[in-house]
Amino acid sequence: MVYVKLYKLEFLPVVVQILSSVYTSWATPPTKLVIKDNNGRILKSLIGPYDEGESLFLKCEVEGGSPMPAVTWWRESVVLDNNYSLEDEGLTVNELKISSLSRHDLMAAFTCCASNNKVSSPLSSTVTLDMNFRPLLLEMEGGRQPLSAGTPTKLNCHSAGSRPPVTITWWKEHLELKTARTTVTNHGNSTISTLIFTPTVEDDNKILSCVAKNVLMPGTILREDRKLKVHYAPLVSLRYSGKSKKSQSITEDTDVYFECLVQSNPRPTGISWMFEGGELHPNSSAGILINNHTLTLKDISRSRRGRYSCTATNSEGKGESGIFFLRVQYPPICISTHIKSFGVAVHEPLHVVCQVDAEPPDVSFRWSFNNTYETLDIVDFESHLTRSRATFTPRNEQDYGTLLCWASNEIGSQKFPCVFNITPVGPPDKPRDCRVQNVTMNSIQIACEEGYHGGLKQHFVLEVLDKNLETIEANLTSDVPVFLLSDLSYKASFEVIVYAVNSEGKSENWIMTINTLSNLVGNDENQWNFPFGPLFVIIGTSFVALIAVLLVIIIVIHIRLRTHSSRKARNRHREITRGSDERLSLKNVTGEIKTMSPLEEERCPDVIPVNEIALDCVDKGSDESVFLITHSSSKSNMSKIPDESSESEGRYTCSNTDCSTSKRVSPPNSENKLYTMRSRVMPGSSTTVLRRVVTQKDDTVVSRGETTKV
């Protein structure tokens, strides 16, 4: 049984092949395959673009094929739909429906296959899906901090995720800003728009918008708004308020109010009020009241007439209002309060000008003449605004007196008239209040006040006389009594004369005597002279300085001498004190020990200071002595004799010479060294006087001791 079954299985593939050949020869493959959209349009290759989220409908129609072919939809190697049906026209149809396309469907390949046998190749068609994407994000960079008016600012707007790239536009309220520059990066996935924006004052609190739109996908607009905060310097204006809204109607003794209107961001930190270019400060006594934004002028007078403004300051700068000219109306007053005098001859016409200050300047004039005999109205005059000129002619010697001028305007009449004295012509008066303003070595400056001119034009004369030489140094003429004299003689005495002259004669003289190089100015007819010349002063000063230098030199020499003597005395006292503490013991043949006298000590001064000393001296003859020296000390402050050595007993030879250095007699093999020793033989005796002995034996040193006789 087993063998039979195996036999049958070996023939099964052959049977299947035979049956397939029979079926193939009988089956007819499909002849045509098309893909259509929902509108019946045939689709080939790349289709779309379809919008993100849009539905997709694909219909695959297959003609022919017997038996009925199987029609399937594939995406890559995945079967999407294998449901097909036969329609009336003999078409086999499979409809693919995708309700919402997403981003991963971009460039997806959809294939429709039709096959009714396994022998022939299936019939197929493929379409690739193109898509549009809406932008995913939109971000505005910059503009969050306050902007400064007039300062350019860079703003960026970034969008990503759109296919094709978005179009970015900028808007200020409803106004499109077309100066932006757009850059597309990351293969079209990212778009950046850059705007250089210069804000203005009017842009404060306005909305700046960045809008991103995919033009192929209506309704996919992204928008970001930014409320602008613009800082700017104050915008200032000045508003006047008072009893009348017209500045022309302001009169004296009324109150005036100003208000400073400020528009700024941030708020102003300070407000100032200006009048004629200078800052106004509160002054209640003068009627000036300032309360931040308001200025009040109480009981205003004509002195407050002028230009007013206000300024405001914040972190962005300073703003100033326009100028408001305040016109204060007042009745006329004379421009000059000084009474003028005119000299005129009988029957000679005189033209007198009267000028007043008034607001408004449209005034009317009235003239009159007054003397001890009568008062007359003058009718011969002409006027223009605030100026009037009258013509007056004296008829006889009694027609001299006072000419009066009045003016009036719509505010009122002049309270006090302008006065002019009419006098007969004559010589001028003497110049008044003359004074010397500066006197140097060779120049003088003099200034005077004019006296009455005598009714005629006058000029002034200055004469300068040298009192020593009795010569005229200068003769000057001037229309005003101010003179500068230069190039005068050095240290000279001058008589200065000043007087006035007109066609009728000259005035009295003003006389002063002045010396050059003087700081003192004399009065009329007075003289002031310095008793000494400058040369005497220079010589005297030099002599005093020389005496002072000599005294300083003498004092310095005296101090140095005293210092030297004191130092020498201190050294001698210190030497004697040290000698008494370090008594030198000497033993000679006679055993006598004597102390040196001060005179001898001076002749044998110390050579090297050392410490304690103890000597034993053995007389070996009339000219020398042997000393046995033992001492312990340091080696400082010692003068070494070269090539010196000592014996073990420490024997040394002292020469009986005056202040001579000791000589050694012992064999020169020891390491002991002789440093210094001085001796002296006293006249008439064999005693050796030792002044200082300094020697070394092993670690022992002989040092200084008291002067001793042996």
Side-chain angles (χ1 to χ4, degrees):
M1 289 297 293
V2 174
Y3 293 105
V4 173
K5 291 181 179 180
L6 290 174
Y7 177 78
K8 292 180 178 179
L9 291 174
E10 289 177 358
F11 287 96
L12 183 61
V14 176
V15 174
V16 171
Q17 185 176 3
I18 294 172
L19 292 176
S20 297
S21 299
V22 173
Y23 177 79
T24 302
S25 60
W26 174 74
T28 303
T31 58
K32 184 178 180 181
L33 185 152
V34 295
I35 299 175
K36 296 181 180 180
D37 61 8
N38 56 350
N39 295 322
R41 290 176 299 184
I42 299 176
L43 304 177
K44 294 181 180 181
S45 186
L46 185 68
I47 63 174
Y50 289 85
D51 293 339
E52 178 186 0
E54 187 179 356
S55 62
L56 176 66
F57 177 83
L58 297 177
K59 183 177 182 181
C60 184
E61 296 180 351
V62 179
E63 294 182 2
S66 179
M68 184 178 64
V71 180
T72 57
W73 281 102
W74 298 72
R75 178 172 179 174
E76 306 298 338
S77 60
V78 178
V79 177
L80 297 179
D81 191 355
N82 56 4
N83 297 317
Y84 55 91
S85 61
L86 182 63
E87 293 187 352
D88 297 339
E89 298 177 356
L91 297 177
T92 305
V93 177
N94 189 343
E95 295 179 348
L96 175 66
K97 296 180 180 178
I98 299 177
S99 60
S100 178
L101 295 174
S102 60
R103 289 178 176 266
H104 74 274
D105 294 328
L106 175 65
M107 294 300 169
F110 296 93
T111 303
C112 180
C113 295
S115 176
N116 60 0
N117 63 80
K118 295 183 178 180
V119 178
S120 61
S121 298
L123 192 64
S124 66
S125 178
T126 301
V127 293
T128 302
L129 185 64
D130 189 13
M131 295 186 65
N132 295 327
F133 296 155
R134 69 189 67 197
L136 295 179
L137 63 88
L138 182 66
E139 294 179 348
M140 184 188 299
E141 300 174 359
R144 296 186 183 277
Q145 299 298 325
L147 309 178
S148 293
T151 302
T153 303
K154 181 179 179 180
L155 302 174
N156 289 326
C157 194
H158 173 233
S159 178
S162 176
R163 177 182 171 86
V166 295
T167 300
I168 298 178
T169 55
W170 292 85
W171 299 80
K172 184 175 67 175
E173 298 289 341
H174 302 292
L175 176 65
E176 183 179 0
L177 306 178
K178 299 182 179 181
T179 58
R181 179 173 53 87
T182 301
T183 303
V184 179
T185 60
N186 195 17
H187 304 289
N189 186 51
S190 178
T191 304
I192 299 176
S193 179
T194 302
L195 174 68
I196 304 300
F197 178 63
T198 302
T200 63
V201 175
E202 292 76 13
D203 293 334
D204 188 30
N205 291 324
K206 286 189 175 181
I207 302 299
L208 182 69
S209 302
C210 170
V211 179
K213 179 175 65 174
N214 187 334
V215 295
L216 299 181
M217 296 182 66
T220 59
I221 297 176
L222 295 182
R223 180 189 188 100
E224 183 169 354
D225 297 331
R226 187 69 48 82
K227 187 175 183 180
L228 296 176
K229 296 180 180 179
V230 181
H231 284 184
Y232 52 91
L235 302 176
V236 187
S237 60
L238 188 63
R239 183 170 66 185
Y240 159 79
S241 60
K243 290 184 177 180
S244 173
K245 297 300 181 182
K246 297 181 180 180
S247 60
Q248 290 80 1
S249 62
I250 300 173
T251 60
E252 288 185 307
D253 301 327
T254 59
D255 297 340
V256 173
Y257 305 92
F258 291 104
E259 185 177 1
C260 191
L261 305 178
V262 181
Q263 176 188 349
S264 70
N265 189 15
R267 296 174 61 86
T269 56
I271 294 177
S272 301
W273 291 91
M274 312 298 290
F275 172 64
E276 291 295 330
E279 185 175 354
L280 276 176
H281 299 282
N283 187 346
S284 57
S285 60
I288 302 174
L289 306 178
I290 297 177
N291 183 14
N292 200 12
H293 288 259
T294 60
L295 168 66
T296 303
L297 302 177
K298 305 289 289 185
D299 299 328
I300 197 168
S301 64
R302 67 191 68 185
S303 62
R304 292 299 170 192
R305 176 178 181 266
R307 294 179 291 270
Y308 288 83
S309 64
C310 68
T311 62
T313 307
N314 67 0
S315 59
E316 293 294 317
K318 180 179 180 180
E320 184 173 0
S321 71
I323 300 297
F324 183 92
F325 190 85
L326 181 63
R327 301 180 183 275
V328 181
Q329 296 183 341
Y330 50 88
I333 59 172
C334 293
I335 288 183
S336 175
T337 58
H338 180 66
I339 299 177
K340 296 183 178 181
S341 298
F342 298 91
V344 62
V346 177
H347 301 299
E348 179 182 352
L350 173 66
H351 302 288
V352 180
V353 175
C354 176
Q355 192 164 3
V356 297
D357 179 25
E359 183 64 40
D362 187 11
V363 301
S364 59
F365 287 91
R366 177 171 63 89
W367 290 81
S368 68
F369 174 76
N370 183 25
N371 60 14
T372 56
Y373 302 102
E374 58 184 345
T375 298
L376 300 175
D377 290 333
I378 304 299
V379 295
D380 189 6
F381 66 90
E382 56 185 15
S383 303
H384 178 68
L385 294 178
T386 58
R387 188 175 183 274
S388 178
R389 189 181 76 164
T391 302
F392 178 75
T393 304
R395 295 166 297 176
N396 50 50
E397 295 180 356
Q398 284 76 34
D399 279 350
Y400 293 98
T402 302
L403 197 61
L404 304 176
C405 166
W406 282 275
S408 60
N409 61 5
E410 63 182 49
I411 305 303
S413 298
Q414 188 173 342
K415 293 182 179 180
F416 304 102
C418 303
V419 181
F420 308 92
N421 288 332
I422 310 300
T423 61
V425 294
D429 289 346
K430 174 183 175 181
R432 299 178 289 106
D433 299 331
C434 292
R435 58 194 178 280
V436 178
Q437 295 181 335
N438 189 20
V439 177
T440 65
M441 295 174 60
N442 56 6
S443 66
I444 300 173
Q445 184 174 357
I446 297 175
C448 303
E449 298 290 338
E450 295 184 12
Y452 175 59
H453 48 64
L456 300 171
K457 183 177 180 177
Q458 64 178 349
H459 63 274
F460 300 90
V461 178
L462 179 139
E463 296 178 357
V464 181
L465 305 178
D466 191 327
K467 297 187 68 175
N468 297 329
L469 302 178
E470 297 184 355
T471 58
I472 297 177
E473 287 289 322
N475 190 323
L476 304 178
T477 301
S478 175
D479 291 336
V480 292
V482 178
F483 302 92
L484 175 62
L485 302 172
S486 58
D487 299 328
L488 299 177
S489 300
Y490 175 77
K491 190 184 175 300
S493 179
F494 298 99
E495 184 177 75
V496 179
I497 302 173
V498 180
Y499 56 88
V501 179
N502 66 10
S503 59
E504 293 294 324
K506 63 183 290 292
S507 69
E508 297 180 6
N509 294 336
W510 177 88
I511 302 174
M512 175 183 284
T513 301
I514 305 173
N515 295 326
T516 51
L517 287 179
S518 172
N519 291 327
L520 183 62
V521 179
N523 295 323
D524 291 1
E525 309 297 342
N526 293 330
Q527 180 176 357
W528 180 82
N529 291 311
F530 191 79
F532 304 109
L535 184 59
F536 178 82
V537 174
I538 295 172
I539 294 174
T541 304
S542 302
F543 179 75
V544 172
L546 180 61
I547 295 299
V549 171
L550 291 176
L551 287 175
V552 170
I553 293 174
I554 292 172
I555 291 172
V556 171
I557 293 174
H558 179 69
I559 291 173
R560 288 191 175 183
L561 289 176
R562 291 192 60 182
T563 304
H564 180 70
S565 299
S566 300
R567 188 183 299 113
K568 189 173 182 182
R570 285 195 302 270
N571 291 339
R572 182 176 302 173
H573 179 269
R574 189 161 49 261
E575 180 181 303
I576 294 172
T577 303
R578 286 196 298 264
S580 356
D581 295 338
E582 304 168 354
R583 179 70 60 182
L584 176 63
S585 300
L586 299 176
K587 183 176 180 182
N588 60 8
V589 178
T590 60
E592 293 180 333
I593 297 212
K594 298 178 82 175
T595 301
M596 232 177 176
S597 67
L599 179 60
E600 293 167 343
E601 188 175 354
E602 281 296 325
R603 295 183 60 189
C604 296
D606 295 343
V607 177
I608 298 174
V610 291
N611 295 330
E612 297 178 357
I613 184 169
L615 300 177
D616 289 331
C617 183
V618 179
D619 189 6
K620 297 184 65 176
S622 58
D623 294 332
E624 63 182 13
S625 299
V626 178
F627 297 89
L628 300 177
I629 305 169
T630 59
H631 182 64
S632 178
S633 175
S634 65
K635 296 180 181 181
S636 60
N637 299 327
M638 296 183 181
S639 298
K640 178 182 177 184
I641 297 177
D643 301 329
E644 282 293 304
S645 61
S646 61
E647 297 174 341
S648 59
E649 293 102 351
R651 294 179 179 274
Y652 294 89
T653 303
C654 299
S655 300
N656 292 331
T657 58
D658 185 15
C659 295
S660 62
T661 305
S662 335
K663 296 182 180 178
R664 183 173 174 279
V665 208
S666 303
N669 294 323
S670 174
E671 294 181 357
N672 298 313
K673 299 177 182 179
L674 176 66
Y675 282 83
T676 303
M677 183 170 69
R678 293 184 181 275
S679 63
R680 177 171 178 252
V681 178
M682 296 296 293
S685 70
S686 61
T687 304
T688 300
V689 180
L690 296 181
R691 179 70 178 92
R692 290 287 184 271
V693 177
V694 180
T695 184
Q696 176 181 345
K697 177 176 172 57
D698 297 330
D699 292 333
T700 61
V701 179
V702 176
S703 86
R704 56 184 170 79
E706 183 178 335
T707 301
T708 308
K709 291 183 180 179
V710 180

